[in-house]
Amino acid sequence: MSEVEKASNSAPETVTALLDALNTTDSNGNEALNATAKFVATPEGTALAYGSLVLMALVPIFFGALRSVACSKSKNTSDMPETITSREAAKFPIIASCTLFGLYLFFKVFSQEYINLLLSAYFFVLGVLALSHTTSPLLSRIFPSSVPNKQYQLLFTQGAGEAKEEIINYEFDTNNLVCLLCSSVVGVWYVLKKHWIANNLFGLAFALNGVELLHLNNVSTGCILLGGLFVYDIFWVFGTNVMVTVAKSFEAPIKLVFPQDLLEKGLDASNFAMLGLGDIVIPGIFIALLLRFDVSLKKNSRTYFCSSFLAYIFGLGLTIFVMHTFKHAQPALLYLVPACVGFPVVVALFKGELTEMFRYEETFGEEGLAKDDAAESLKKDQ
């Protein structure tokens, strides 16, 4: 995974591919630490940079978790989340390791300039779509009612008659088109300038969409995924220079950055503190799962969500503290995984709900709604 760090330089069709990209790239910006220039940040600049990174990390987790609740109950197949099973979670660290090492070899063999050119085009498309999906609900609330919001449908089929098969069936409206246009402007800005604000807009969109649309099917799967990536992170960060090489070579909005010299240089600042998206999305999908578990309990409380959310803040703060104490970049999952898993488990033990937590199994769409209705009817009968 990635670590919080200082730097001077500045998704995918399947669940695995997206998480691979997040875990691989944001993973070792730690080199960025050694990369260049000896700029000594002021205490105020350092505090502003890392405080802003913590705040930016919390925003997609909080709102992504809230949106994941509605997403899990949606009857619209286009809004259905991608579900990670225990088998996929167990395989993921191995797949991520292969992907990371493959990228390492790729950068060793081919020209970095051309690879990053291809990556810019790829992430331009992904970023525009992610940012459009993120801002669409907000724009729909402020869209003037006097402006007609026309509905459109993009339909591609294959075959004819009874053998006709839908390849693409996408419904959208005027609001979505406006969001797409605005997001394209940000995309062009990022491709041309690689400005850190444009990078962060895309990064926040990726993180929020990841937390919203990537769902763990149960708590055990979450523990398997976080545990595997805990080991993965430590091995690739401390055991080899592979992550360092990839992080130094990879130019893409797969991290959040904030300048430590903003107070001195303004928006043209160039000495950045950095947090990889994997350190947001991976714990974030586990926190979102606990929010949906809270909702399933129907107790009008968000105990497990709040405990895991506070645990994330504690773990990220501890990462920054240790990094500055030892003057060395740290893999954030080393601290985030024990905190985000341990805190809710202790709370569940205290409340006597540990068994119920680990038995919780997610259902989606109409099946989930039917299950909720059945539970309500049973409760009324009792």
Side-chain angles (χ1 to χ4, degrees):
M1 278 275 341
S2 89
E3 53 282 333
V4 181
E5 65 213 340
K6 299 176 185 175
S8 47
N9 8 341
S10 155
E13 298 178 6
T14 67
V15 175
T16 299
L18 174 59
L19 288 177
D20 281 344
L22 295 177
N23 281 312
T24 301
T25 54
D26 44 32
S27 37
N28 247 319
N30 69 352
E31 310 316 85
L33 254 185
N34 309 319
T36 90
K38 307 301 180 186
F39 170 81
V40 180
T42 62
E44 294 82 2
T46 300
L48 176 62
Y50 284 105
S52 299
L53 283 179
V54 171
L55 181 61
M56 285 193 291
L58 296 178
V59 168
I61 291 177
F62 183 82
F63 289 102
L66 292 179
R67 288 172 61 159
S68 76
V69 175
C71 180
S72 65
K73 296 179 179 179
S74 175
K75 296 181 180 181
N76 189 344
T77 55
S78 63
D79 294 332
M80 291 292 286
E82 292 281 353
T83 305
I84 304 173
T85 65
S86 57
R87 183 185 295 266
E88 292 168 337
K91 291 190 297 185
F92 178 71
I94 300 172
I95 296 172
S97 296
C98 294
T99 303
L100 178 61
F101 191 66
L103 283 171
Y104 172 78
L105 295 177
F106 212 68
F107 278 112
K108 287 290 185 181
V109 173
F110 298 100
S111 169
Q112 180 179 325
E113 179 183 354
Y114 294 115
I115 295 174
N116 282 316
L117 185 63
L118 290 174
L119 288 174
S120 293
Y122 178 62
F123 278 97
F124 168 79
V125 176
L126 289 181
V128 167
L129 294 175
L131 189 59
S132 177
H133 181 266
T134 300
T135 56
S136 183
L138 176 63
L139 187 62
S140 63
R141 295 185 179 184
I142 62 176
F143 205 69
S145 56
S146 57
V147 178
N149 189 23
K150 296 182 179 180
Q151 302 294 315
Y152 303 93
Q153 183 178 29
L154 183 64
L155 179 63
F156 284 97
T157 61
Q158 177 179 301
E162 295 182 358
K164 183 181 291 186
E165 179 183 358
E166 287 186 0
I167 305 299
I168 297 177
N169 187 359
Y170 183 71
E171 296 180 357
F172 56 98
D173 54 29
T174 306
N175 171 42
N176 299 133
L177 291 177
V178 173
C179 288
L180 192 64
L181 179 62
C182 295
S183 300
S184 298
V185 173
V186 176
V188 172
W189 182 26
Y190 173 77
V191 169
L192 295 180
K193 300 294 184 180
K194 293 292 192 295
H195 197 277
W196 61 273
I197 295 179
N199 173 90
N200 286 348
L201 288 174
F202 274 176
L204 288 169
F206 285 141
L208 193 148
N209 278 279
V211 175
E212 176 188 358
L213 298 174
L214 297 174
H215 286 203
L216 299 163
N217 63 350
N218 54 49
V219 174
S220 297
T221 299
C223 293
I224 293 170
L225 179 65
L226 268 66
L229 290 175
F230 174 82
V231 176
Y232 160 92
D233 210 16
I234 294 173
F235 173 77
W236 288 108
V237 170
F238 292 131
T240 73
N241 71 334
V242 171
M243 273 195 174
V244 169
T245 304
V246 172
K248 289 169 64 177
S249 306
F250 204 98
E251 293 181 9
I254 41 66
K255 57 187 176 293
L256 299 179
V257 298
F258 200 91
Q260 299 180 83
D261 52 348
L262 180 68
L263 299 178
E264 292 83 8
K265 298 183 179 179
L267 295 180
D268 293 326
S270 58
N271 189 276
F272 296 101
M274 177 190 327
L275 178 66
L277 294 191
D279 295 328
I280 301 172
V281 175
I282 298 301
I285 61 178
F286 186 74
I287 294 171
L289 171 67
L290 293 179
L291 174 59
R292 297 191 296 275
F293 172 63
D294 277 325
V295 172
S296 73
L297 294 177
K298 301 185 183 300
K299 292 183 178 179
N300 268 336
S301 71
R302 300 294 180 262
T303 305
Y304 297 104
F305 170 71
C306 291
S307 64
S308 58
F309 193 74
L310 291 174
Y312 182 84
I313 298 173
F314 171 78
L316 195 54
L318 182 60
T319 305
I320 296 171
F321 172 77
V322 172
M323 182 190 70
H324 281 282
T325 299
F326 294 98
K327 307 300 180 185
H328 192 281
Q330 300 292 313
L333 288 187
L334 176 63
Y335 307 96
L336 291 173
V337 169
C340 291
V341 174
F343 278 41
V345 167
V346 170
V347 171
L349 278 171
F350 181 76
K351 297 184 68 176
E353 296 176 341
L354 187 63
T355 302
E356 190 172 0
M357 174 192 283
F358 278 88
R359 284 181 178 174
Y360 171 67
E361 190 84 23
E362 280 215 324
T363 51
F364 304 106
E366 294 182 359
E367 182 184 353
L369 293 174
K371 187 176 180 180
D372 289 343
D373 292 340
E376 281 294 323
S377 301
L378 182 61
K379 191 176 292 186
K380 289 178 181 179
D381 293 341
Q382 292 175 344

